[in-house]
């Protein structure tokens, strides 16, 4: 294992510290893309079925217009100005330079510096018909792909 890989593994383990979650072989933080006409429906199902103590370790990244209303206060929300995944036609080159990608990078470093609590799961809300832009960003952007993993809904 190269020193850089070990450093990343330690950083990701630190992000999970305190969540009560035992990391398995894949230490990356799962990202679920909530897409389509009613992206909040899946998240609401998870909120209704989940343990409320988990919510403080969840982060939702959503465009301002689709931002959730009435969800638990402990659910962290990062608002983006636009829904770039749906506006850019789901193309690969746009997926690498979106507000969502920048928000994920900032979130990772904020948790690493202990400016924010640990993260156990990230939800990205989009009106896009596909989760492919996020899949492509995680696959081809090394910084994101080493820290986050796509989890189908």
């Amino acid at each position: 294992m190269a020193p850089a890989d070990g450093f990343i593994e330690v950083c990701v383990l630190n992000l999970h510290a305190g969540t009560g979650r035992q990391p398995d072989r894949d230490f990356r933080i799962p990202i679920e893309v909530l897409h389509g006409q009613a992206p909040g429906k899946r998240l609401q199902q998870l909120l209704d079925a989940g343990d409320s103590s988990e919510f403080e370790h969840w982060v939702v990244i959503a465009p301002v217009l689709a931002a959730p209303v009435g969800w638990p206060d402990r659910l962290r929300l990062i608002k983006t100005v636009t829904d770039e995944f749906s506006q850019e036609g789901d193309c690969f080159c746009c997926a690498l330079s979106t507000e969502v990608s920048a928000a994920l990078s900032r979130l990772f470093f904020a948790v690493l510096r202990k400016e924010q609590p640990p993260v156990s799961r990230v939800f990205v809300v989009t009106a896009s018909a596909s989760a492919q832009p996020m899949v492509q960003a995680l696959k081809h952007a090394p910084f994101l792909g080493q820290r986050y993993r796509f989890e189908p809904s």
Side-chain angles (χ1 to χ4, degrees):
M1 178 185 308
D5 292 339
F7 174 74
I8 291 168
E9 184 175 279
V10 169
C11 291
V12 173
L13 284 173
N14 286 338
L15 287 176
H16 288 293
T19 63
R21 179 177 170 266
Q22 291 296 320
D24 49 13
R25 294 186 75 77
D26 191 346
F27 299 110
R28 296 173 298 165
I29 300 167
I31 293 179
E32 186 171 334
V33 178
L34 307 173
H35 57 87
Q37 295 298 326
K41 186 175 182 180
R42 167 77 175 133
L43 185 55
Q44 193 60 52
Q45 289 172 341
L46 289 167
L47 291 171
D48 292 342
D51 177 7
S52 63
S53 65
E54 295 176 30
F55 301 160
E56 64 191 60
H57 301 291
W58 290 2
V59 175
V60 176
I61 299 175
V64 172
L65 297 176
V69 177
W71 288 354
D73 292 335
R74 292 186 296 172
L75 187 63
R76 288 182 276 168
L77 176 64
I78 298 173
K79 294 180 184 177
T80 59
V81 176
T82 61
D83 186 356
E84 292 170 326
F85 285 167
S86 65
Q87 291 180 353
E88 299 298 338
D90 299 341
C91 71
F92 164 69
C93 58
C94 299
L96 295 176
S97 60
T98 63
E99 281 183 88
V100 172
S101 296
L104 289 169
S105 297
R106 285 191 307 271
L107 174 65
F108 180 84
F109 283 117
V111 173
L112 187 62
R113 290 187 303 258
K114 299 187 186 229
E115 296 169 355
Q116 288 198 24
V119 175
S120 64
R121 185 176 206 84
V122 175
F123 297 94
V124 176
V125 177
T126 179
S128 174
S130 169
Q132 281 306 309
M134 189 81 260
V135 172
Q136 293 299 315
L138 294 175
K139 182 177 179 183
H140 296 286
F143 181 86
L144 295 177
Q146 292 170 353
R147 291 153 180 85
Y148 298 96
R149 66 180 164 84
F150 176 72
E151 188 166 291
S153 31

